[in-house]
Amino acid sequence: MEKIKKLGNKPRPVTVQKIVEETPTVKTILFKDPLCSNAEPGQFVMVWLPGLDEVPMSISFIDANLCGITVKNVGESTDALHKLRSRSEFGLRGPYGKGFKIFKRTSLIVAGGVGMAPLYPLLVKLERVKVKPTVLLGATTSSELLFYKQLKKRLKQRLIVTTDDGSKGVKGLASDLMLGLLKENYFKS
């Protein structure tokens, strides 16, 4: 175990296996990495491209063979990540952090924008332990709803959508809707 911790702290090259365009401004970069593939939901990695700063990125996809980060293009480093292609390489350290603690009871996941990225592996893990979470997913507009198709397929009626402009679901913020639903005891089991 100590050897794995030391390896996690050393930068290592990883190769992009696949790029998924999630929204007009967000991409998921999938890569093979044995350490990251054993990560827990809620952990993060440090990502580095030559000539740029190292940046922390939440792990958004965890599988036995692949791992992924979901990146919104907001600056120099994220723009460089968006320009990566299949078989490109970048540097990686980690995973870091403790991850989410899982409780086997009613669960509510609330996320806006790219905030769904670190929560998607949590959703997968909750379902594995037979917890059926409800997800409140928000975005500025319908085209920016992160992982919408995957969530709709997985959750059906347990997905509630909000958009700032009202283009899909309830008009407003996911956090505001959550407060209203909690006051109404909507999630009482």
Side-chain angles (χ1 to χ4, degrees):
M1 186 65 154
E2 191 61 39
K3 184 178 181 181
I4 289 175
K5 284 183 181 182
K6 286 181 182 177
L7 283 174
N9 288 325
K10 290 180 73 174
R12 59 197 180 274
V14 295
T15 303
V16 175
Q17 300 298 307
K18 184 177 179 183
I19 306 275
V20 180
E21 191 167 320
E22 305 287 0
T23 77
T25 62
V26 179
K27 291 182 178 182
T28 296
I29 301 167
L30 297 166
F31 52 91
K32 286 187 178 181
D33 181 66
L35 297 183
C36 188
S37 296
N38 292 315
E40 288 294 320
Q43 289 188 299
F44 69 97
V45 291
M46 296 300 293
V47 175
W48 174 75
L49 290 167
L52 296 172
D53 285 338
E54 189 177 42
V55 292
M57 294 298 225
S58 297
I59 300 169
S60 62
F61 185 83
I62 302 168
D63 186 273
N65 298 314
L66 289 175
C67 195
I69 55 173
T70 300
V71 182
K72 183 169 183 168
N73 192 344
V74 295
E76 187 178 24
S77 293
T78 56
D79 186 56
L81 286 167
H82 268 241
K83 290 177 182 170
L84 292 175
R85 299 288 171 249
S86 184
R87 293 187 290 282
S88 298
E89 285 191 346
F90 61 92
L92 188 76
R93 288 190 308 125
Y96 298 108
K98 288 187 177 229
F100 298 115
K101 188 169 184 173
I102 305 292
F103 296 95
K104 290 186 179 184
R105 52 184 160 194
T106 302
S107 293
L108 173 64
I109 296 173
V110 182
V114 79
M116 189 64 212
L119 297 174
Y120 194 79
L122 173 63
L123 167 69
V124 172
K125 188 167 184 177
L126 285 169
E127 289 179 332
R128 265 193 219 127
V129 297
K130 307 292 188 233
V131 173
K132 294 183 178 185
T134 297
V135 173
L136 293 180
L137 177 67
T140 55
T141 189
S142 61
S143 66
E144 290 295 325
L145 286 164
L146 186 59
F147 305 145
Y148 175 74
K149 288 179 184 175
Q150 299 97 305
L151 291 168
K152 187 72 177 159
K153 186 177 178 180
R154 283 187 104 100
L155 299 168
K156 297 175 182 44
Q157 277 69 38
R158 292 181 289 121
L159 174 63
I160 303 169
V161 171
T162 69
T163 51
D164 296 358
D165 65 3
S167 58
K168 190 156 198 83
V170 178
K171 184 176 182 175
L173 302 175
S175 56
D176 291 341
L177 180 60
M178 176 201 66
L179 291 173
L181 294 173
L182 288 174
K183 285 179 185 175
E184 296 170 14
N185 286 323
Y186 181 85
F187 302 103
K188 190 172 185 177
S189 39

